[in-house]
Amino acid sequence: MKRRLPFWPLVLALAVVAVLSVVGSLAFGSESIPVAEVVAAVTDRLGGVAPGRWDVIVWELRLPRALMAVVVGAGLAIAGAGMQTLVRNPLADPYLLGISSGASVGATAAITTGALAGFGVHAVSAGALLGAVGSAVLIFAIATAQGGLTPLRLVLSGVVLSSGLSAIASLLVFLSDDARAANSVMFWMLGSVGGATWEKLWIPAALVGVAAAGMLAVHRWLDALAAGPETAAALGVDVAGLRTTLFVGLSVLVGVLVAVSGGVGFVGLIIPHAARLVVGARHRVVLPVAAVAGAVFLVWVDVLARVAVRPQEIPLGVVTGVLGAPLFLLLMGRVQYRFGGER
């Protein structure tokens, strides 16, 4: 039997790495700052000392951005783990149900038509959130009308809806008279946390916390659902109710995350599998490990996105794909891995 890594030492080690990663990430950007100056800028703020030379860059720009990367990375990781359990498909990611494509339509409409201009700098995020909610409601209605939220219906409906919504987003760009719209839409679709502020941070952070706590509270039900609906029902789990709750909760979570960061791909797909590789498949251990690992991963992805081609910035989805694919294939090749009983 494969030996798993001990859970609590691993989580504590990852938490320490996450804190150090956030502090370290503040030193990188268009202008490098010594780590000692970064620590001084943060401690001055927390201690009520008069702001110093690097205060604006560290406290107002880079720290909210780094914390948003933590929130989005953790949120996408637990959303991916939940989605893979909901549809019992190892290829599932948080965007499987077309929520990202719905958000893309809303964001694209806001960029190309000026709709929701009354929301000011939040217009794109508001459009993305409306699109995400609309697509979630649509997929729920379709699946329910056709017999219920079964894994097969969710996957097929999500894939088809995603294709249709992506086509609508492309049509909006094609019809736009704004030559910069395509670049703006493409950059948003590939994801960024560059627009993070302290004001934008607390809603997704609170939602990720609630989602993680809720999923951990029913971790035994999730384990049973991952083993199959018959097994779950035999153990007394309300399968239909659990699926509906999981669907609604994940849809809201993913919709909010996409609204603040765009469509950051690959995190929700590979991080849950990586967590299962090192601690096993039980949700009680997978969810915390995946959340912290996803946070650390996206913090350093954001650093690379900022410094790789300075002074320009690469979309996060490009970096996650370039890093995530070989990393995951390497892990898969070194250990025996199972999902839902399949190797």
Side-chain angles (χ1 to χ4, degrees), residues 77-152:
I78 62 174
M83 194 65 72
Q84 288 160 7
T85 298
L86 175 63
V87 300
R88 300 192 69 218
N89 189 324
L91 296 179
D93 71 1
Y95 308 133
L96 177 70
L97 301 181
I99 295 171
S100 177
S101 298
S104 297
V105 172
T108 303
I111 293 171
T112 58
T113 68
L116 305 175
F119 286 89
V121 295
H122 303 289
V124 175
S125 296
L129 185 57
L130 289 174
V133 172
S135 63
V137 171
L138 185 59
I139 198 70
F140 182 85
I142 292 173
T144 302
Q146 293 181 344
L149 297 176
T150 64
L152 180 61

Side-chain angles (χ1 to χ4, degrees), residues 165-335:
L165 292 172
S166 296
I168 294 174
S170 299
L171 179 63
L172 289 172
V173 174
F174 179 76
L175 296 176
S176 174
D177 295 328
D178 187 352
R180 298 170 298 178
N183 286 335
S184 299
V185 171
M186 180 62 70
F187 195 87
W188 184 88
M189 285 182 176
L190 291 173
S192 172
V193 289
T197 63
W198 288 108
E199 291 75 19
K200 291 182 179 179
L201 190 58
W202 69 272
I203 291 180
L207 192 57
V208 169
V210 170
M215 292 173 71
L216 282 173
V218 297
H219 65 89
R220 290 188 177 86
W221 294 358
L222 296 176
D223 290 341
L225 186 63
E230 296 82 7
T231 302
L235 294 174
V237 177
D238 178 2
V239 174
L242 180 59
R243 280 177 175 165
T244 301
T245 303
L246 201 56
F247 172 84
V248 173
L250 293 178
S251 297
V252 174
L253 174 62
V254 174
V256 170
L257 294 179
V258 172
V260 297
S261 66
V264 183
F266 236 70
V267 178
L269 174 63
I270 66 168
I271 295 297
H273 289 304
R276 293 188 190 97
L277 285 168
V278 295
V279 295
R282 293 173 301 163
H283 287 81
R284 182 178 66 81
V285 292
V286 165
L287 292 171
V289 171
V292 185
V296 172
F297 180 69
L298 201 59
V299 166
W300 288 110
V301 163
D302 182 51
V303 170
L304 281 176
R306 282 185 280 150
V307 303
V309 292
R310 285 186 290 190
Q312 296 195 5
E313 184 176 323
I314 303 174
L316 296 182
V318 174
V319 183
T320 57
V322 171
L323 289 180
L327 175 64
F328 185 62
L329 292 175
L330 178 65
L331 288 172
M332 290 283 290
R334 290 177 61 86
V335 295

Side-chain angles (χ1 to χ4, degrees), residues 31-34 37-38 41 51-60:
E31 184 167 5
S32 299
I33 303 175
E37 296 289 341
V38 167
R53 176 187 176 189
W54 303 107
D55 178 74
V56 173
I57 294 177
V58 172
W59 187 266
E60 300 293 342

